[in-house]
Amino acid sequence: MTPRVVEATANATLANMGVGFDILGMALAEPFDTVRAERIPEPGVQIAAIKGDEGKLSRDPTRNTAGIAAAYVLRQIGAAEGVSLSLQKGLPLASGLGSSAASAVAAAVAVNALFGEPLSRPDLLAASLEGEAAVSGRHADNVAPALFGGITLVMGLTADAIHALPIPPNLHLALATPAIAVPTAEARAVLPANVSLKAMISQTAHVALLVRALHSGDLALLGAAMEGDGVIEPARAHLMRGLPEVRAAARACGALGTVISGAGPTLCSVCESAAVAERVAVAMRALYAEMGLAASVRVTVPSVGGAAWRVV
Amino acid sequence: MTPRVVEATANATLANMGVGFDILGMALAEPFDTVRAERIPEPGVQIAAIKGDEGKLSRDPTRNTAGIAAAYVLRQIGAAEGVSLSLQKGLPLASGLGSSAASAVAAAVAVNALFGEPLSRPDLLAASLEGEAAVSGRHADNVAPALFGGITLVMGLTADAIHALPIPPNLHLALATPAIAVPTAEARAVLPANVSLKAMISQTAHVALLVRALHSGDLALLGAAMEGDGVIEPARAHLMRGLPEVRAAARACGALGTVISGAGPTLCSVCESAAVAERVAVAMRALYAEMGLAASVRVTVPSVGGAAWRVV
């Protein structure tokens, strides 16, 4: 017997991890989106409710990342029935934490579970990408870690191009999301079309150091490597008010490195303990407050398991 | 008592390892250069003999990579006496195997040993770079692995910027050096000043995969990652006659990947055993012969220990 109602969660993700633009992503234990999926006799996808989005997301299932991913799964499994989705946004929108990816992944996982998991986890990558593509372009740097968990190296858009990287022990993250609007499209538009060979060499060196740091569990090296981005951050820094000051404040509290999460405006600091991360988060919020900016802060850790589901 | 005569060896090195242009290098067990250093009463450096260079290297110690490195060490240690050097070239010149770096490193290590090792191994990096700079520019991607051994990630020109990477078990290399002249200066001149952002992303992704493959010991992944260079190889390929054909022949014999060693013309194939590497080397030589090119081939493994010395 397959269940009638299933609830799936998919987590926030730190795309890029600083220097790893478009290729690296890390799943975070918090925050996460929840999608409740219920089987209904009518074929296709309906969206029954969306909470936590302040009314900003489309209720049209063909224009909603969760709806698109759900429909893709239904088509893949040739379902005769349809699904009704209820989406609880735990992730803030347009914050650089992979909001659209989390909703797409949660919906794909929920619908697949609802029909007895005919598709494997790797099979769900295409459905999740389809949902993500409607909002943010076809990139797997958020989708892959949200779906599989942990830290992923994304070499392409198929499951065999996703490589798991080790999660270093004791890694804690402090996140600060200031009330700044940074549309992903604008954050993409400011990127250079070309980079100097010298910049490419430095970027490859820091990415190599980052992967080495993950394997050796050296958090100080990890923070330094992540901050070694000489291409993307310089192009986007003007969109992230206060970045140098917040970074300095975080470092003064013990942060080992601070980077833009995805396309921003969330900043993420690498810390070696929960206590340090708490101090860093408080200091970041205080600094944004001084600048007259409200900021929500959070302390979290990497998420190991990927998207999860349960019968409700 | 310090010795009167010391002999040091420094090994060939595979700079770049394909996709890791200017940042990665691997020491090879063979071939290697040997420098014999003898204390003499006159201050400064004399070059008594050079063998194996077909008369091509300068005997003027101020214009010879070994002589320059030796003089640098003498200055650093404030030696009252001088040294007489005899250089036995085991490495072919201008072959892309780090010939100038090997001579510089061997000379630095020999002279330091001659005076009781007042300088540490990291201290010898500057002297080696000084020698290398006279010939090939100031790059550590050959010098660092020749000096320290193993596989090195080079983030800069100081010892704290050199990071050791793990050597995967069972890694064997087949080297083929065809009789093609590829001056390092020309191989540098053909490089693009700028690369597309897309190319940079692909390059960083393959470098990340390469480091992951070294850590996981996955030789097939290593070979694929090394071959993922979409920037340097395309610019230089026309200088390496027969590259696609040699690569295909090597792959048909079991090679997991074939790349240009340094600035070429030596090609290096990644293999999982000595037997495969032997087959690959024979096939490479045969293919060059079909093209009317003589080629010297060799099978080797990574060198772990770095430059070595002994009293003679």
PDB file of all heavy atoms in Angstrom, chain A residues 21 23 155 163-165 192-197 201 204-205 207 209 212 215, chain B residues 21 153 155 163-165 192-197 201 204-205 207 209 212 215:
ATOM      1  N   PHE A  21      32.476  28.840  -7.475  1.00  0.00           N
ATOM      2  CA  PHE A  21      31.312  29.336  -8.214  1.00  0.00           C
ATOM      3  C   PHE A  21      30.754  28.292  -9.181  1.00  0.00           C
ATOM      4  O   PHE A  21      31.481  27.780 -10.027  1.00  0.00           O
ATOM      5  CB  PHE A  21      31.679  30.605  -8.993  1.00  0.00           C
ATOM      6  CG  PHE A  21      30.560  31.170  -9.817  1.00  0.00           C
ATOM      7  CD1 PHE A  21      29.447  31.725  -9.204  1.00  0.00           C
ATOM      8  CD2 PHE A  21      30.615  31.130 -11.195  1.00  0.00           C
ATOM      9  CE1 PHE A  21      28.406  32.241  -9.964  1.00  0.00           C
ATOM     10  CE2 PHE A  21      29.570  31.645 -11.963  1.00  0.00           C
ATOM     11  CZ  PHE A  21      28.465  32.200 -11.346  1.00  0.00           C
ATOM     12  N   ILE A  23      30.067  25.311  -8.912  1.00  0.00           N
ATOM     13  CA  ILE A  23      30.502  23.907  -8.848  1.00  0.00           C
ATOM     14  C   ILE A  23      30.387  23.289  -7.458  1.00  0.00           C
ATOM     15  O   ILE A  23      30.357  22.078  -7.334  1.00  0.00           O
ATOM     16  CB  ILE A  23      31.959  23.735  -9.342  1.00  0.00           C
ATOM     17  CG1 ILE A  23      32.967  24.466  -8.436  1.00  0.00           C
ATOM     18  CG2 ILE A  23      32.091  24.206 -10.787  1.00  0.00           C
ATOM     19  CD1 ILE A  23      34.411  24.082  -8.681  1.00  0.00           C
ATOM     20  N   MET A 155      29.784  18.618 -11.496  1.00  0.00           N
ATOM     21  CA  MET A 155      30.508  18.672 -12.772  1.00  0.00           C
ATOM     22  C   MET A 155      29.537  18.777 -13.950  1.00  0.00           C
ATOM     23  O   MET A 155      29.978  18.912 -15.092  1.00  0.00           O
ATOM     24  CB  MET A 155      31.350  17.417 -12.956  1.00  0.00           C
ATOM     25  CG  MET A 155      32.316  17.090 -11.830  1.00  0.00           C
ATOM     26  SD  MET A 155      33.766  18.177 -11.760  1.00  0.00           S
ATOM     27  CE  MET A 155      34.564  17.840 -13.333  1.00  0.00           C
ATOM     28  N   HIS A 163      29.621  14.682  -7.336  1.00  0.00           N
ATOM     29  CA  HIS A 163      30.579  13.955  -6.503  1.00  0.00           C
ATOM     30  C   HIS A 163      30.477  14.446  -5.064  1.00  0.00           C
ATOM     31  O   HIS A 163      30.549  15.646  -4.813  1.00  0.00           O
ATOM     32  CB  HIS A 163      32.000  14.179  -7.028  1.00  0.00           C
ATOM     33  CG  HIS A 163      32.190  13.706  -8.432  1.00  0.00           C
ATOM     34  ND1 HIS A 163      32.614  12.428  -8.743  1.00  0.00           N
ATOM     35  CD2 HIS A 163      31.984  14.322  -9.618  1.00  0.00           C
ATOM     36  CE1 HIS A 163      32.672  12.287 -10.051  1.00  0.00           C
ATOM     37  NE2 HIS A 163      32.292  13.431 -10.609  1.00  0.00           N
ATOM     38  N   ALA A 164      30.334  13.503  -4.141  1.00  0.00           N
ATOM     39  CA  ALA A 164      30.278  13.882  -2.726  1.00  0.00           C
ATOM     40  C   ALA A 164      31.680  14.210  -2.225  1.00  0.00           C
ATOM     41  O   ALA A 164      32.646  13.505  -2.536  1.00  0.00           O
ATOM     42  CB  ALA A 164      29.680  12.740  -1.918  1.00  0.00           C
ATOM     43  N   LEU A 165      31.780  15.261  -1.453  1.00  0.00           N
ATOM     44  CA  LEU A 165      33.038  15.612  -0.797  1.00  0.00           C
ATOM     45  C   LEU A 165      32.860  15.429   0.707  1.00  0.00           C
ATOM     46  O   LEU A 165      31.746  15.511   1.214  1.00  0.00           O
ATOM     47  CB  LEU A 165      33.420  17.063  -1.122  1.00  0.00           C
ATOM     48  CG  LEU A 165      33.750  17.347  -2.592  1.00  0.00           C
ATOM     49  CD1 LEU A 165      33.919  18.841  -2.847  1.00  0.00           C
ATOM     50  CD2 LEU A 165      35.018  16.605  -3.006  1.00  0.00           C
ATOM     51  N   PRO A 192      31.613  39.042 -14.788  1.00  0.00           N
ATOM     52  CA  PRO A 192      32.384  39.289 -16.004  1.00  0.00           C
ATOM     53  C   PRO A 192      32.219  38.135 -16.980  1.00  0.00           C
ATOM     54  O   PRO A 192      32.037  36.984 -16.570  1.00  0.00           O
ATOM     55  CB  PRO A 192      33.825  39.348 -15.492  1.00  0.00           C
ATOM     56  CG  PRO A 192      33.818  38.505 -14.257  1.00  0.00           C
ATOM     57  CD  PRO A 192      32.465  38.694 -13.643  1.00  0.00           C
ATOM     58  N   ALA A 193      32.262  38.453 -18.273  1.00  0.00           N
ATOM     59  CA  ALA A 193      32.189  37.402 -19.289  1.00  0.00           C
ATOM     60  C   ALA A 193      33.518  36.667 -19.391  1.00  0.00           C
ATOM     61  O   ALA A 193      33.571  35.483 -19.699  1.00  0.00           O
ATOM     62  CB  ALA A 193      31.820  38.011 -20.640  1.00  0.00           C
ATOM     63  N   ASN A 194      34.603  37.398 -19.093  1.00  0.00           N
ATOM     64  CA  ASN A 194      35.948  36.822 -19.177  1.00  0.00           C
ATOM     65  C   ASN A 194      36.753  37.166 -17.933  1.00  0.00           C
ATOM     66  O   ASN A 194      36.488  38.178 -17.286  1.00  0.00           O
ATOM     67  CB  ASN A 194      36.681  37.373 -20.408  1.00  0.00           C
ATOM     68  CG  ASN A 194      36.015  36.941 -21.694  1.00  0.00           C
ATOM     69  OD1 ASN A 194      36.068  35.784 -22.073  1.00  0.00           O
ATOM     70  ND2 ASN A 194      35.363  37.872 -22.362  1.00  0.00           N
ATOM     71  N   VAL A 195      37.707  36.325 -17.635  1.00  0.00           N
ATOM     72  CA  VAL A 195      38.617  36.595 -16.522  1.00  0.00           C
ATOM     73  C   VAL A 195      40.043  36.424 -17.027  1.00  0.00           C
ATOM     74  O   VAL A 195      40.291  35.718 -18.011  1.00  0.00           O
ATOM     75  CB  VAL A 195      38.356  35.653 -15.320  1.00  0.00           C
ATOM     76  CG1 VAL A 195      36.900  35.721 -14.887  1.00  0.00           C
ATOM     77  CG2 VAL A 195      38.739  34.228 -15.645  1.00  0.00           C
ATOM     78  N   SER A 196      40.974  37.071 -16.344  1.00  0.00           N
ATOM     79  CA  SER A 196      42.366  36.947 -16.766  1.00  0.00           C
ATOM     80  C   SER A 196      42.877  35.540 -16.461  1.00  0.00           C
ATOM     81  O   SER A 196      42.383  34.867 -15.549  1.00  0.00           O
ATOM     82  CB  SER A 196      43.230  37.975 -16.046  1.00  0.00           C
ATOM     83  OG  SER A 196      43.340  37.629 -14.672  1.00  0.00           O
ATOM     84  N   LEU A 197      43.874  35.110 -17.221  1.00  0.00           N
ATOM     85  CA  LEU A 197      44.480  33.802 -16.956  1.00  0.00           C
ATOM     86  C   LEU A 197      45.016  33.748 -15.530  1.00  0.00           C
ATOM     87  O   LEU A 197      44.883  32.734 -14.834  1.00  0.00           O
ATOM     88  CB  LEU A 197      45.607  33.542 -17.959  1.00  0.00           C
ATOM     89  CG  LEU A 197      46.226  32.147 -17.925  1.00  0.00           C
ATOM     90  CD1 LEU A 197      45.203  31.087 -18.303  1.00  0.00           C
ATOM     91  CD2 LEU A 197      47.433  32.070 -18.846  1.00  0.00           C
ATOM     92  N   ILE A 201      44.094  31.079 -12.603  1.00  0.00           N
ATOM     93  CA  ILE A 201      45.077  30.274 -11.887  1.00  0.00           C
ATOM     94  C   ILE A 201      44.851  30.389 -10.378  1.00  0.00           C
ATOM     95  O   ILE A 201      44.848  29.392  -9.648  1.00  0.00           O
ATOM     96  CB  ILE A 201      46.509  30.715 -12.266  1.00  0.00           C
ATOM     97  CG1 ILE A 201      46.787  30.377 -13.730  1.00  0.00           C
ATOM     98  CG2 ILE A 201      47.541  30.058 -11.346  1.00  0.00           C
ATOM     99  CD1 ILE A 201      48.028  31.058 -14.291  1.00  0.00           C
ATOM    100  N   THR A 204      41.662  28.420  -9.458  1.00  0.00           N
ATOM    101  CA  THR A 204      41.870  26.965  -9.416  1.00  0.00           C
ATOM    102  C   THR A 204      42.696  26.582  -8.188  1.00  0.00           C
ATOM    103  O   THR A 204      42.426  25.563  -7.546  1.00  0.00           O
ATOM    104  CB  THR A 204      42.581  26.455 -10.693  1.00  0.00           C
ATOM    105  OG1 THR A 204      43.765  27.207 -10.914  1.00  0.00           O
ATOM    106  CG2 THR A 204      41.682  26.552 -11.909  1.00  0.00           C
ATOM    107  N   ALA A 205      43.686  27.397  -7.840  1.00  0.00           N
ATOM    108  CA  ALA A 205      44.525  27.087  -6.679  1.00  0.00           C
ATOM    109  C   ALA A 205      43.688  27.069  -5.401  1.00  0.00           C
ATOM    110  O   ALA A 205      43.827  26.163  -4.564  1.00  0.00           O
ATOM    111  CB  ALA A 205      45.659  28.101  -6.566  1.00  0.00           C
ATOM    112  N   VAL A 207      40.423  26.655  -5.147  1.00  0.00           N
ATOM    113  CA  VAL A 207      39.480  25.528  -5.169  1.00  0.00           C
ATOM    114  C   VAL A 207      40.203  24.235  -4.770  1.00  0.00           C
ATOM    115  O   VAL A 207      39.680  23.424  -4.004  1.00  0.00           O
ATOM    116  CB  VAL A 207      38.818  25.401  -6.561  1.00  0.00           C
ATOM    117  CG1 VAL A 207      38.151  24.039  -6.720  1.00  0.00           C
ATOM    118  CG2 VAL A 207      37.792  26.514  -6.753  1.00  0.00           C
ATOM    119  N   LEU A 209      42.782  24.012  -2.851  1.00  0.00           N
ATOM    120  CA  LEU A 209      43.036  24.111  -1.412  1.00  0.00           C
ATOM    121  C   LEU A 209      41.768  23.810  -0.615  1.00  0.00           C
ATOM    122  O   LEU A 209      41.819  23.147   0.432  1.00  0.00           O
ATOM    123  CB  LEU A 209      43.542  25.526  -1.084  1.00  0.00           C
ATOM    124  CG  LEU A 209      44.143  25.723   0.299  1.00  0.00           C
ATOM    125  CD1 LEU A 209      45.435  24.919   0.445  1.00  0.00           C
ATOM    126  CD2 LEU A 209      44.416  27.203   0.566  1.00  0.00           C
ATOM    127  N   ARG A 212      41.201  20.090  -0.601  1.00  0.00           N
ATOM    128  CA  ARG A 212      42.179  19.498   0.313  1.00  0.00           C
ATOM    129  C   ARG A 212      41.770  19.741   1.770  1.00  0.00           C
ATOM    130  O   ARG A 212      41.876  18.844   2.613  1.00  0.00           O
ATOM    131  CB  ARG A 212      43.557  20.109   0.058  1.00  0.00           C
ATOM    132  CG  ARG A 212      44.650  19.556   0.968  1.00  0.00           C
ATOM    133  CD  ARG A 212      45.970  20.250   0.685  1.00  0.00           C
ATOM    134  NE  ARG A 212      47.042  19.716   1.506  1.00  0.00           N
ATOM    135  CZ  ARG A 212      47.267  20.081   2.762  1.00  0.00           C
ATOM    136  NH1 ARG A 212      46.477  20.943   3.361  1.00  0.00           N
ATOM    137  NH2 ARG A 212      48.279  19.547   3.425  1.00  0.00           N
ATOM    138  N   HIS A 215      39.079  17.439   2.904  1.00  0.00           N
ATOM    139  CA  HIS A 215      39.587  16.081   3.142  1.00  0.00           C
ATOM    140  C   HIS A 215      40.417  15.998   4.418  1.00  0.00           C
ATOM    141  O   HIS A 215      40.394  14.990   5.116  1.00  0.00           O
ATOM    142  CB  HIS A 215      40.404  15.598   1.934  1.00  0.00           C
ATOM    143  CG  HIS A 215      39.561  15.074   0.822  1.00  0.00           C
ATOM    144  ND1 HIS A 215      39.088  13.784   0.790  1.00  0.00           N
ATOM    145  CD2 HIS A 215      39.082  15.663  -0.298  1.00  0.00           C
ATOM    146  CE1 HIS A 215      38.367  13.598  -0.307  1.00  0.00           C
ATOM    147  NE2 HIS A 215      38.345  14.724  -0.987  1.00  0.00           N
TER     148      HIS A 215
ATOM    149  N   PHE B  21      47.220  24.031 -14.198  1.00  0.00           N
ATOM    150  CA  PHE B  21      48.263  24.908 -14.744  1.00  0.00           C
ATOM    151  C   PHE B  21      48.827  25.846 -13.674  1.00  0.00           C
ATOM    152  O   PHE B  21      48.094  26.556 -13.005  1.00  0.00           O
ATOM    153  CB  PHE B  21      47.688  25.732 -15.900  1.00  0.00           C
ATOM    154  CG  PHE B  21      48.665  26.714 -16.487  1.00  0.00           C
ATOM    155  CD1 PHE B  21      49.775  26.263 -17.190  1.00  0.00           C
ATOM    156  CD2 PHE B  21      48.490  28.075 -16.331  1.00  0.00           C
ATOM    157  CE1 PHE B  21      50.689  27.162 -17.732  1.00  0.00           C
ATOM    158  CE2 PHE B  21      49.388  28.983 -16.868  1.00  0.00           C
ATOM    159  CZ  PHE B  21      50.492  28.525 -17.572  1.00  0.00           C
ATOM    160  N   LEU B 153      50.634  21.227  -4.181  1.00  0.00           N
ATOM    161  CA  LEU B 153      49.769  22.328  -4.600  1.00  0.00           C
ATOM    162  C   LEU B 153      50.510  23.609  -4.267  1.00  0.00           C
ATOM    163  O   LEU B 153      50.880  23.833  -3.114  1.00  0.00           O
ATOM    164  CB  LEU B 153      48.438  22.264  -3.841  1.00  0.00           C
ATOM    165  CG  LEU B 153      47.539  23.507  -3.904  1.00  0.00           C
ATOM    166  CD1 LEU B 153      47.099  23.815  -5.334  1.00  0.00           C
ATOM    167  CD2 LEU B 153      46.313  23.302  -2.999  1.00  0.00           C
ATOM    168  N   MET B 155      50.541  27.484  -3.969  1.00  0.00           N
ATOM    169  CA  MET B 155      49.701  28.690  -3.848  1.00  0.00           C
ATOM    170  C   MET B 155      50.546  29.960  -3.937  1.00  0.00           C
ATOM    171  O   MET B 155      49.993  31.046  -3.946  1.00  0.00           O
ATOM    172  CB  MET B 155      48.971  28.690  -2.503  1.00  0.00           C
ATOM    173  CG  MET B 155      48.169  27.455  -2.177  1.00  0.00           C
ATOM    174  SD  MET B 155      46.625  27.320  -3.125  1.00  0.00           S
ATOM    175  CE  MET B 155      45.730  28.775  -2.584  1.00  0.00           C
ATOM    176  N   HIS B 163      51.494  23.073  -0.430  1.00  0.00           N
ATOM    177  CA  HIS B 163      50.696  22.097   0.300  1.00  0.00           C
ATOM    178  C   HIS B 163      50.881  20.717  -0.318  1.00  0.00           C
ATOM    179  O   HIS B 163      50.705  20.556  -1.524  1.00  0.00           O
ATOM    180  CB  HIS B 163      49.220  22.486   0.264  1.00  0.00           C
ATOM    181  CG  HIS B 163      48.943  23.825   0.871  1.00  0.00           C
ATOM    182  ND1 HIS B 163      48.614  23.986   2.199  1.00  0.00           N
ATOM    183  CD2 HIS B 163      48.987  25.071   0.336  1.00  0.00           C
ATOM    184  CE1 HIS B 163      48.451  25.275   2.453  1.00  0.00           C
ATOM    185  NE2 HIS B 163      48.660  25.956   1.353  1.00  0.00           N
ATOM    186  N   ALA B 164      51.193  19.747   0.513  1.00  0.00           N
ATOM    187  CA  ALA B 164      51.343  18.377   0.018  1.00  0.00           C
ATOM    188  C   ALA B 164      49.970  17.763  -0.220  1.00  0.00           C
ATOM    189  O   ALA B 164      49.055  17.931   0.590  1.00  0.00           O
ATOM    190  CB  ALA B 164      52.116  17.547   1.034  1.00  0.00           C
ATOM    191  N   LEU B 165      49.837  17.067  -1.316  1.00  0.00           N
ATOM    192  CA  LEU B 165      48.613  16.322  -1.606  1.00  0.00           C
ATOM    193  C   LEU B 165      48.948  14.831  -1.568  1.00  0.00           C
ATOM    194  O   LEU B 165      50.099  14.450  -1.795  1.00  0.00           O
ATOM    195  CB  LEU B 165      48.067  16.711  -2.988  1.00  0.00           C
ATOM    196  CG  LEU B 165      47.569  18.162  -3.104  1.00  0.00           C
ATOM    197  CD1 LEU B 165      47.230  18.502  -4.551  1.00  0.00           C
ATOM    198  CD2 LEU B 165      46.354  18.394  -2.205  1.00  0.00           C
ATOM    199  N   PRO B 192      46.349  32.140 -23.772  1.00  0.00           N
ATOM    200  CA  PRO B 192      45.446  33.287 -23.846  1.00  0.00           C
ATOM    201  C   PRO B 192      45.641  34.192 -22.629  1.00  0.00           C
ATOM    202  O   PRO B 192      45.961  33.718 -21.538  1.00  0.00           O
ATOM    203  CB  PRO B 192      44.057  32.638 -23.810  1.00  0.00           C
ATOM    204  CG  PRO B 192      44.258  31.356 -23.077  1.00  0.00           C
ATOM    205  CD  PRO B 192      45.643  30.890 -23.452  1.00  0.00           C
ATOM    206  N   ALA B 193      45.450  35.498 -22.824  1.00  0.00           N
ATOM    207  CA  ALA B 193      45.527  36.426 -21.693  1.00  0.00           C
ATOM    208  C   ALA B 193      44.274  36.329 -20.836  1.00  0.00           C
ATOM    209  O   ALA B 193      44.315  36.543 -19.627  1.00  0.00           O
ATOM    210  CB  ALA B 193      45.708  37.852 -22.205  1.00  0.00           C
ATOM    211  N   ASN B 194      43.164  35.993 -21.493  1.00  0.00           N
ATOM    212  CA  ASN B 194      41.886  35.896 -20.789  1.00  0.00           C
ATOM    213  C   ASN B 194      41.176  34.611 -21.169  1.00  0.00           C
ATOM    214  O   ASN B 194      41.390  34.071 -22.251  1.00  0.00           O
ATOM    215  CB  ASN B 194      40.989  37.088 -21.147  1.00  0.00           C
ATOM    216  CG  ASN B 194      41.577  38.394 -20.674  1.00  0.00           C
ATOM    217  OD1 ASN B 194      41.621  38.670 -19.487  1.00  0.00           O
ATOM    218  ND2 ASN B 194      42.050  39.195 -21.618  1.00  0.00           N
ATOM    219  N   VAL B 195      40.322  34.142 -20.265  1.00  0.00           N
ATOM    220  CA  VAL B 195      39.506  32.964 -20.551  1.00  0.00           C
ATOM    221  C   VAL B 195      38.063  33.318 -20.210  1.00  0.00           C
ATOM    222  O   VAL B 195      37.804  34.208 -19.398  1.00  0.00           O
ATOM    223  CB  VAL B 195      39.965  31.737 -19.746  1.00  0.00           C
ATOM    224  CG1 VAL B 195      41.444  31.458 -19.983  1.00  0.00           C
ATOM    225  CG2 VAL B 195      39.702  31.913 -18.270  1.00  0.00           C
ATOM    226  N   SER B 196      37.134  32.606 -20.821  1.00  0.00           N
ATOM    227  CA  SER B 196      35.729  32.868 -20.522  1.00  0.00           C
ATOM    228  C   SER B 196      35.400  32.393 -19.111  1.00  0.00           C
ATOM    229  O   SER B 196      36.042  31.509 -18.565  1.00  0.00           O
ATOM    230  CB  SER B 196      34.833  32.152 -21.531  1.00  0.00           C
ATOM    231  OG  SER B 196      34.881  30.753 -21.305  1.00  0.00           O
ATOM    232  N   LEU B 197      34.386  33.025 -18.523  1.00  0.00           N
ATOM    233  CA  LEU B 197      33.945  32.605 -17.193  1.00  0.00           C
ATOM    234  C   LEU B 197      33.549  31.126 -17.220  1.00  0.00           C
ATOM    235  O   LEU B 197      33.850  30.374 -16.287  1.00  0.00           O
ATOM    236  CB  LEU B 197      32.760  33.474 -16.741  1.00  0.00           C
ATOM    237  CG  LEU B 197      32.286  33.265 -15.306  1.00  0.00           C
ATOM    238  CD1 LEU B 197      33.376  33.662 -14.317  1.00  0.00           C
ATOM    239  CD2 LEU B 197      31.013  34.066 -15.031  1.00  0.00           C
ATOM    240  N   ILE B 201      35.009  28.115 -14.919  1.00  0.00           N
ATOM    241  CA  ILE B 201      34.175  27.235 -14.085  1.00  0.00           C
ATOM    242  C   ILE B 201      34.536  25.775 -14.348  1.00  0.00           C
ATOM    243  O   ILE B 201      34.702  24.980 -13.424  1.00  0.00           O
ATOM    244  CB  ILE B 201      32.683  27.509 -14.350  1.00  0.00           C
ATOM    245  CG1 ILE B 201      32.319  28.918 -13.867  1.00  0.00           C
ATOM    246  CG2 ILE B 201      31.806  26.453 -13.689  1.00  0.00           C
ATOM    247  CD1 ILE B 201      30.961  29.409 -14.346  1.00  0.00           C
ATOM    248  N   THR B 204      37.986  25.036 -12.764  1.00  0.00           N
ATOM    249  CA  THR B 204      37.924  24.854 -11.304  1.00  0.00           C
ATOM    250  C   THR B 204      37.258  23.528 -10.957  1.00  0.00           C
ATOM    251  O   THR B 204      37.688  22.843 -10.021  1.00  0.00           O
ATOM    252  CB  THR B 204      37.162  26.013 -10.626  1.00  0.00           C
ATOM    253  OG1 THR B 204      35.888  26.176 -11.236  1.00  0.00           O
ATOM    254  CG2 THR B 204      37.934  27.316 -10.705  1.00  0.00           C
ATOM    255  N   ALA B 205      36.231  23.164 -11.700  1.00  0.00           N
ATOM    256  CA  ALA B 205      35.536  21.902 -11.414  1.00  0.00           C
ATOM    257  C   ALA B 205      36.482  20.710 -11.589  1.00  0.00           C
ATOM    258  O   ALA B 205      36.511  19.795 -10.758  1.00  0.00           O
ATOM    259  CB  ALA B 205      34.318  21.751 -12.330  1.00  0.00           C
ATOM    260  N   VAL B 207      39.792  20.739 -11.504  1.00  0.00           N
ATOM    261  CA  VAL B 207      40.833  20.769 -10.470  1.00  0.00           C
ATOM    262  C   VAL B 207      40.284  20.201  -9.154  1.00  0.00           C
ATOM    263  O   VAL B 207      40.964  19.431  -8.470  1.00  0.00           O
ATOM    264  CB  VAL B 207      41.372  22.204 -10.281  1.00  0.00           C
ATOM    265  CG1 VAL B 207      42.159  22.324  -8.989  1.00  0.00           C
ATOM    266  CG2 VAL B 207      42.250  22.595 -11.465  1.00  0.00           C
ATOM    267  N   LEU B 209      37.938  18.035  -8.866  1.00  0.00           N
ATOM    268  CA  LEU B 209      37.803  16.586  -9.061  1.00  0.00           C
ATOM    269  C   LEU B 209      39.165  15.900  -8.952  1.00  0.00           C
ATOM    270  O   LEU B 209      39.281  14.808  -8.385  1.00  0.00           O
ATOM    271  CB  LEU B 209      37.188  16.321 -10.442  1.00  0.00           C
ATOM    272  CG  LEU B 209      36.708  14.906 -10.702  1.00  0.00           C
ATOM    273  CD1 LEU B 209      35.514  14.583  -9.802  1.00  0.00           C
ATOM    274  CD2 LEU B 209      36.309  14.725 -12.159  1.00  0.00           C
ATOM    275  N   ARG B 212      40.111  15.658  -5.314  1.00  0.00           N
ATOM    276  CA  ARG B 212      39.277  14.611  -4.707  1.00  0.00           C
ATOM    277  C   ARG B 212      39.788  13.223  -5.114  1.00  0.00           C
ATOM    278  O   ARG B 212      39.859  12.301  -4.283  1.00  0.00           O
ATOM    279  CB  ARG B 212      37.830  14.785  -5.159  1.00  0.00           C
ATOM    280  CG  ARG B 212      36.875  13.742  -4.571  1.00  0.00           C
ATOM    281  CD  ARG B 212      35.488  13.940  -5.135  1.00  0.00           C
ATOM    282  NE  ARG B 212      34.547  12.993  -4.586  1.00  0.00           N
ATOM    283  CZ  ARG B 212      34.407  11.743  -4.995  1.00  0.00           C
ATOM    284  NH1 ARG B 212      35.187  11.272  -5.951  1.00  0.00           N
ATOM    285  NH2 ARG B 212      33.511  10.945  -4.445  1.00  0.00           N
ATOM    286  N   HIS B 215      42.800  12.196  -3.167  1.00  0.00           N
ATOM    287  CA  HIS B 215      42.456  11.800  -1.800  1.00  0.00           C
ATOM    288  C   HIS B 215      41.760  10.452  -1.757  1.00  0.00           C
ATOM    289  O   HIS B 215      41.954   9.684  -0.819  1.00  0.00           O
ATOM    290  CB  HIS B 215      41.591  12.875  -1.141  1.00  0.00           C
ATOM    291  CG  HIS B 215      42.378  14.026  -0.600  1.00  0.00           C
ATOM    292  ND1 HIS B 215      42.974  13.999   0.636  1.00  0.00           N
ATOM    293  CD2 HIS B 215      42.688  15.232  -1.124  1.00  0.00           C
ATOM    294  CE1 HIS B 215      43.613  15.143   0.845  1.00  0.00           C
ATOM    295  NE2 HIS B 215      43.461  15.915  -0.201  1.00  0.00           N
TER     296      HIS B 215
END
